[in-house]
């Protein structure tokens, strides 16, 4: 049984994590803390892994404190910069327990992480590639960070394989061809009813490959969170690890 | 048996029409003519309906000559303007046979014609709507005329129903949101391996409707051509008719 | 302002209806009643339309009582038989107000209702047609009633148009070709993460038409409920009306 | 420049291979032979790699003869059994040149090979998985060999990861749930207009991953054929190699 404490337990994500930890056969909930609660209650004695889902303004301090208390941390809060990561690395170097881990993921949805990876693997084998992302209309940025990242990965994989630019005879266009990210066209759809969806399309003469990831609900992040908890609890990932793909057998 | 003559019989479309006429149970091929052949061979005695698939520069003259010879014409050649249509109407008024027909269609693909129609019918019932078209990368214009037309139809149907603009909170975008046609976002994908494809997406809270038409090959126009031949041969459509939707039971 | 009372207001659907009535610009909540509450509180004085979302075992009695009190009713509860409908018709004949309405819908999702309608319209124009429905894996029946209904509608439309059986050269199959409903193959997918989804696929040589309806969440029924409330409140639908398609401009 | 001879050069596949070899920048056509032509014209002096696309009844003899003449062979003909492969291995052991290669692929479509591979990689991370294949209605077997193979791969990957059966509460079904291959449901659609298409669907709570491969035309096999020619010509694959996945960087 892996003992898991949750920081940010009353938040939108944290409350799902509490449920997921309670429902999984190999995890049990230790402490469920939220803003205002005393983090020093969390110790190696009662907790194997902490899941931290709060807000960027407090996450770094939370993680530094938890590292100093000797526990491993899985972080779902966004907003991590290289400078912040360096502070965490320094804290880990001075941590009380040897081989302590901090794991940070920009995206815990396994379907999205796999789609991003598959797009990179497929890219060298196709003449054409484009990315379409579809989200709810309340999203303020376009395209999504995930789609941007996927397009960059496709472009890098094409370049590494010696591929030239994608074929495109377009002469007249009023903007319908979308945004070009490192040579890859990216399209963003905003539609009421959707949540977060991404398609990578690849084409050769006579064939197409489509990889699509749909996230209908934030509960989709829970298998990724539990996977990270299990991996971190093994002690096999000392230091800072970024990205769920490190825990998938790819 | 409907006796069909084909003008432009050696062209990419015309050769398919010859095959289609030969294969259908209720049509038979009368004359198959191409550039240089004498159109006056085609008479009401040997031909019920002529299918004309040539090029814009000769199509008007062909149609005027055929009308003067007393036969009905189904036209697949593009490039028709209001002025040209008026010339055909004048020719029909002076035609030898009463109730002669000329039928002209910008698109003979039944799937595309139905998708365009369904999009207009669905539009008033959804908060969001966007259009994605996908074509081969040799296409020089973007978006496709069909997608442009579909977006216009959606916009008009929304307006008639009293709907306001589609919801969109986008603040930062580098072009990924596509081209806006009468308030409807249109995206154009260019991918090797594709031919001509269109999706109309509609969304409300918790639901989505998607209408997609795929044309994999120009043979997809043949059911539409045969439908037009059958309808015109009934004599029920005197004068000029434009658009295959007139022959569908919508 | 249309005054709406909700019966079954604490249920999964009813609570959404309360929110929808509160949020719409042209409706206001009158009474929100649930099991054990006194239905006689609802009168023509305080309520224009009642929305009834309860369970089959009590719905008929609720509707009969509400009709006797002189109010119009929109019913989302399932389980209606011809016999039950006759009882409602009899109650309406003896109702205190002239022209009272009861509206009953098996499905309030506009996307599903439109998809079902479009499938019937498209069916005569394609050589092939199949239906795929996809649902969450807790569903006990397969295929869904909606998919069964769509297949029946396609089959009837093909028959009316004089089409023969769909082409199918299959000689060896271990069950992958699915269930045959009136000659139309229906496939049911069960996948964790999905809710209720349906695709109707149509094909001719070189072309495909796909109509897909996705219901991600029961909130997707609210636009249909509000539409029914608005239509019923006009007084233009006296008697019993079954099916949301009666209120769409099709 | 890789010198390529084609055996079966007038066949449906072979004629595409001749064009592909002529069009690629790094290959040139040596000899184009068909039924009745003398295979002994093909020698290490004029040919680096032979592409053999004929029929199962003559393919083994062709390959044995070509091996004896000292050339490498890429085989697209189907119908290979373990016994036939052993005969090729014996021929290679007695071949005139050291390190000679014979490469055989059941499927040269890169999109299909990648989809099959991605499905195996993704399978351990999802609670649910199903396979849908869609083909033209003249196909006599259902499901396709490719879909069967994909389902087997998914099942094996799930088993290796310790996953139990997919969730499925279905109690009543008339066949819509499809064929069960090693515990994975497989659905086969037959639709006029389609060629060969396959979807692998994966689901967790709140998320879905879809991998789709479309083969619109047999020209889609050419990139795979050229890839095999290039790989074999390096001399790095002595002996018999089966499956295009061996040449992809997976």
């Amino acid at each position: 049984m892996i003992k898991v404490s949750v920081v940010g337990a009353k938040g939108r994500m944290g409350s799902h994590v509490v449920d997921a930890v309670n429902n999984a056969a190999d995890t049990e909930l230790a402490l469920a803390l939220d803003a205002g609660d005393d983090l020093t209650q969390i110790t190696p004695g009662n907790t194997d892994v902490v899941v931290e889902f709060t807000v960027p303004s407090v996450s770094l301090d939370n993680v530094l404190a938890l590292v100093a208390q000797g526990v491993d941390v899985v972080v779902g809060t966004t907003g991590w910069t290289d400078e912040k990561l360096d502070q965490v690395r320094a804290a880990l170097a001075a941590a009380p327990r040897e081989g302590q881990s901090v794991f940070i993921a920009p995206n815990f949805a396994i379907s999205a992480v796999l789609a991003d990876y598959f797009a990179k693997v497929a890219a060298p084998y196709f003449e054409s590639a484009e990315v379409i992302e579809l989200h709810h209309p309340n999203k303020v940025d376009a395209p999504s960070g995930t789609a941007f990242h996927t397009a960059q990965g496709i472009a890098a994989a094409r370049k590494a394989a010696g591929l030239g630019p994608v074929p495109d005879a377009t002469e007249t266009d009023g903007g319908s061809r979308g945004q070009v990210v490192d040579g890859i066209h990216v399209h963003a759809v905003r539609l009421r009813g959707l949540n977060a969806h991404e398609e990578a399309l690849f084409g050769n003469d006579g064939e197409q490959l489509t990889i699509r990831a749909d996230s209908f609900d934030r509960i989709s992040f829970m298998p990724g969170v539990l996977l990270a908890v299990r991996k971190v609890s093994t002690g096999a990932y000392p230091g800072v690890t970024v990205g769920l793909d490190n825990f998938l057998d790819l």
Side-chain angles (χ1 to χ4, degrees), chain A:
Chain A
M1 242 12 188
I2 309 170
K3 291 172 285 181
V4 180
S5 288
V6 179
V7 173
K10 292 180 180 165
R12 294 184 309 176
M13 290 299 305
S15 58
H16 280 296
V17 174
V18 167
D19 289 347
V21 167
N22 278 326
N23 291 334
D26 58 344
T27 57
E28 65 183 348
L29 187 66
L31 295 162
L33 306 184
D34 211 85
D37 291 332
D38 181 6
L39 289 192
T40 62
Q41 299 174 67
I42 299 175
T43 68
N46 58 32
T47 298
D48 296 317
V49 181
V50 179
V51 178
E52 204 272 1
F53 262 111
T54 60
V55 290
S57 59
V58 304
S59 185
L60 174 62
D61 286 345
N62 285 347
V63 173
L64 295 178
L66 291 164
V67 167
Q69 285 158 233
V71 290
D72 293 333
V73 193
V74 166
V75 186
T77 313
T78 55
W80 290 88
T81 59
D82 286 345
E83 193 188 38
K84 287 183 178 184
L85 291 177
D86 282 342
Q87 289 187 259
V88 176
R89 285 189 190 99
L92 282 166
R97 230 170 18 85
E98 208 171 332
Q100 272 182 234
S101 308
V102 170
F103 172 74
I104 299 173
N107 195 332
F108 274 101
I110 286 178
S111 55
V113 173
L114 286 173
D116 193 74
Y117 169 74
F118 291 157
K120 274 184 290 193
V121 174
Y125 303 106
F126 291 90
E127 197 179 341
S128 294
E130 300 209 4
V131 177
I132 303 173
E133 57 93 333
L134 312 93
H135 282 82
H136 57 84
N138 299 332
K139 188 172 175 60
V140 294
D141 56 314
S144 68
T146 304
F148 200 92
H149 188 261
T150 299
Q152 288 182 314
I154 291 170
R158 288 176 63 94
K159 192 178 174 188
L163 295 187
V166 295
D168 186 0
T170 309
E171 290 173 7
T172 63
D173 176 29
S176 65
R177 292 285 291 118
Q179 180 170 346
V180 185
V181 175
D182 294 358
I184 303 299
H185 290 254
V186 178
H187 310 269
V189 174
R190 295 292 171 264
L191 208 72
R192 184 72 73 208
L194 294 182
N195 183 35
H197 315 257
E198 182 181 319
E199 279 187 0
L201 289 74
F202 299 94
N204 283 325
D205 243 8
E207 71 172 338
Q208 184 180 359
L209 177 72
T210 306
I211 299 162
R212 178 172 176 131
D214 294 282
S215 170
F216 303 117
D217 190 292
R218 65 176 66 91
I219 203 170
S220 65
F221 300 137
M222 293 308 112
V225 170
L226 290 176
L227 176 65
V229 164
R230 287 173 190 128
K231 290 288 187 177
V232 161
S233 75
T234 63
Y237 299 89
V240 171
T241 306
V242 178
L244 197 64
D245 49 322
N246 290 286
F247 293 157
L248 302 178
D249 193 18
L250 303 178

